[in-house]
Amino acid sequence: MHMSATPALGLISMSFVRNTGELLAICRELLALADEHGLHLTKVYVGEPGPPNAAFDLLESLLESDGQPLVVPTLHHLAVLGHPAQIRDHLHHCNHEVLIATNPAERTC
């Protein structure tokens, strides 16, 4: 018996990723967290340093969806969209759950 998972989107900002290995590890963390919450990551947006094209594509996809959850490695990754806490609160206000894969205590700077 397989329940259909709720679709979710992911966001990773390359500003917080050192290399491809770390990017792959973060992708695995996002997939694992989504799985734990009964979600299916349909797309992970990767924001490159520079103009936040991926971030705006992500926002457009979220706003077109009906309360689709967003999975991020840490709240810092929302900085590509603006102030992370304000973005999270705005998404919550629009019925989008924001799931955080890792505890940000490991990197406090």
Side-chain angles (χ1 to χ4, degrees):
M1 187 171 73
H2 182 72
M3 291 186 344
S4 66
T6 302
L9 296 173
L11 173 66
I12 298 171
S13 168
M14 288 305 290
S15 303
F16 301 101
V17 180
R18 288 183 289 266
N19 54 48
T20 308
E22 191 172 58
L23 177 62
L24 292 172
I26 290 170
C27 282
R28 282 194 297 272
E29 285 177 17
L30 295 191
L31 288 166
L33 179 74
D35 201 45
E36 279 175 36
H37 288 265
L39 303 173
H40 168 67
L41 272 187
T42 54
K43 183 165 185 177
V44 175
Y45 290 85
V46 177
E48 299 287 345
N53 300 334
F56 288 117
D57 290 347
L58 164 78
L59 265 187
E60 193 176 346
S61 296
L62 271 179
L63 296 173
E64 287 171 359
S65 74
D66 187 23
Q68 198 167 24
L70 175 64
V71 183
V72 293
T74 67
L75 207 52
H76 298 302
H77 288 253
L78 293 177
V80 293
L81 299 169
H83 188 279
Q86 289 173 348
I87 296 295
R88 179 201 56 207
D89 293 347
H90 178 70
L91 289 171
H92 280 175
H93 180 71
C94 298
N95 297 319
H96 297 281
E97 186 181 3
V98 178
L99 300 167
I100 298 166
T102 54
N103 189 326
E106 65 192 66
R107 201 183 292 176
T108 52
C109 56

